[in-house]
Amino acid sequence: MRRHAGTSGMTTTREAPSCSRHDNAPDRTRVAVCIVGFARTFGHPVVHRSIANTFRDSPQTAFDIFVVISLGDKEQDTAKGQRYPLGADSVNAARKVLRPTGWDQASLRAEGPRACKDPCMAQFERLEQCGALVAAEELRCGRTYSWVAKVRTDTVVHGSIASWAQLNTSFLWKDRWAGDSLVLLPRDRFDAIVRELGSGNIREYAPFNSSRSRASQPESCWGMLGLGLGLGLGLAQP
């Protein structure tokens, strides 16, 4: 299934491109693109080529791709997702097209209870792992990113952001389709967001509160985010 959006231990392989590749335009907005989740349809050309086309360098913006995926050989996806384990060769085409700065295809969720049982929470645990790759790249090259774009592995992304530099950093921007297919997170709030929804979710389950709307349920990814961090939500329309 492909979604369309309006944009054992952990083994990490780093592509380590030259830090100087963006030096000819140092004032460009730098965006880290984190592709996270089960591999699903990531290897399909329609999916990974749409991501490559959307997050293509421009005179105003420079993108680095980071990938944290599970092939499903050690854990199972949700019922509506990937039914069987995939081989490493299934994502080779995506890797060649995207030329990622950081790559981890041995992602495995940590053991323990979850305070929020919403299935989409697993994406944020992998997004937190991706954040570690992003931080390592910032340290290596001595530069920081302004935004992190979180993209699902089964998402076909259309269009582009007109101006990343003009996006309101007081908001977390998400797609209109599923709400988790494409999410734009301000870098200076990113670590707190993914810690809250990732490793911070590994604690005892919080009972369902029927007095709250779906948007603020403790079982909802975005409900937990709004309650814990007070960050506004906007709708991304790439």
Side-chain angles (χ1 to χ4, degrees):
M1 177 171 60
R2 294 195 298 271
R3 301 278 186 181
H4 292 253
T7 184
S8 84
M10 179 175 173
T11 302
T12 301
T13 302
R14 298 187 50 75
E15 303 296 312
S18 170
C19 290
S20 63
R21 72 187 187 93
H22 298 314
D23 284 352
N24 60 335
D27 295 330
R28 287 193 293 186
T29 301
R30 300 188 71 232
V31 179
V33 181
C34 278
I35 305 168
V36 298
F38 279 88
R40 294 189 176 180
T41 54
F42 183 47
H44 195 290
V46 172
V47 174
H48 59 253
R49 288 189 182 278
S50 79
I51 297 173
N53 289 334
T54 297
F55 300 105
R56 189 185 301 276
D57 287 354
S58 72
Q60 295 78 34
T61 313
F63 300 97
D64 285 329
I65 304 291
F66 300 84
V67 179
V68 178
I69 58 174
S70 172
L71 296 174
D73 54 337
K74 295 183 176 65
E75 57 183 340
Q76 189 173 3
D77 198 354
T78 60
K80 65 178 182 179
Q82 180 179 313
R83 295 185 179 182
Y84 307 103
L86 298 178
D89 58 343
S90 67
V91 294
N92 283 346
R95 188 168 186 169
K96 290 179 180 178
V97 169
L98 293 169
R99 302 177 64 187
T101 297
W103 178 280
D104 168 24
Q105 65 185 39
S107 168
L108 188 65
R109 297 183 74 198
E111 296 294 332
R114 298 300 193 273
C116 175
K117 294 184 180 295
D118 194 316
C120 77
M121 298 303 295
Q123 298 179 46
F124 289 95
E125 292 179 37
R126 294 195 170 93
L127 188 58
E128 190 171 10
Q129 295 174 30
C130 189
L133 299 182
V134 171
E137 180 66 11
E138 289 176 323
L139 181 63
R140 186 177 77 92
C141 290
R143 286 192 294 266
T144 59
Y145 296 97
S146 298
W147 288 89
V148 179
K150 177 257 183 192
V151 185
R152 278 174 41 166
T153 55
D154 57 357
T155 294
V156 176
V157 187
H158 298 288
S160 61
I161 302 297
S163 175
W164 286 86
Q166 293 181 12
L167 280 178
N168 189 337
T169 56
S170 297
F171 282 77
L172 178 153
W173 300 88
K174 63 190 184 70
D175 67 277
R176 294 176 179 270
W177 174 259
D180 67 346
S181 292
L182 174 65
V183 186
L184 313 181
L185 304 101
R187 178 66 180 103
D188 61 354
R189 306 291 296 277
F190 175 84
D191 292 336
I193 292 170
V194 298
R195 188 164 52 245
E196 177 76 12
L197 299 178
S199 60
N201 186 42
I202 305 177
R203 60 186 191 276
E204 292 302 320
Y205 172 56
F208 181 81
N209 186 340
S210 59
S211 66
R212 292 175 175 162
S213 68
R214 172 59 183 164
S216 61
Q217 292 291 359
E219 291 192 354
S220 162
C221 301
W222 308 119
M224 287 186 66
L225 179 63
L227 291 173
L229 297 172
L231 191 67
L233 298 180
L235 296 177
Q237 303 181 58

